[in-house]
Amino acid sequence: SALAKARTAASIGAPSAAIPPEVALQIAAATDGHVTGLGGGLPLRLDGVLLGGIGVGSSSAEQDLAVARAALRAIGAIED
């Protein structure tokens, strides 16, 4: 799920949890699970340029987000 979270955040330029819950299952099914509404994915921006996304999985959404935020801080990226 970490890859799907990163892919989602990179694709939409927003946290993976920004996918509206009422369509998250349909989007996941339509993309064979490549796009998800699960929390834990954040866009990766440096100097205002969207470079990709980071996704963390295997824990609660809150813990996954904490790890993703720490990783962004470690490389000097700023979360929106």
Side-chain angles (χ1 to χ4, degrees):
S1 74
L3 180 58
K5 293 174 183 184
R7 183 180 288 120
T8 302
S11 296
I12 66 173
S16 55
I19 299 288
E22 55 274 2
V23 296
L25 289 176
Q26 292 89 339
I27 290 174
T31 62
D32 289 328
H34 294 290
V35 175
T36 183
L38 297 173
L42 295 173
L44 170 58
R45 287 189 175 85
L46 288 173
D47 298 324
V49 177
L50 180 62
L51 300 177
I54 182 168
V56 179
S58 296
S59 196
S60 70
E62 294 79 20
Q63 291 171 326
D64 291 348
L65 276 173
V67 172
R69 287 183 178 122
L72 290 179
R73 281 192 303 275
I75 63 168
I78 298 173
E79 184 183 355
D80 292 337

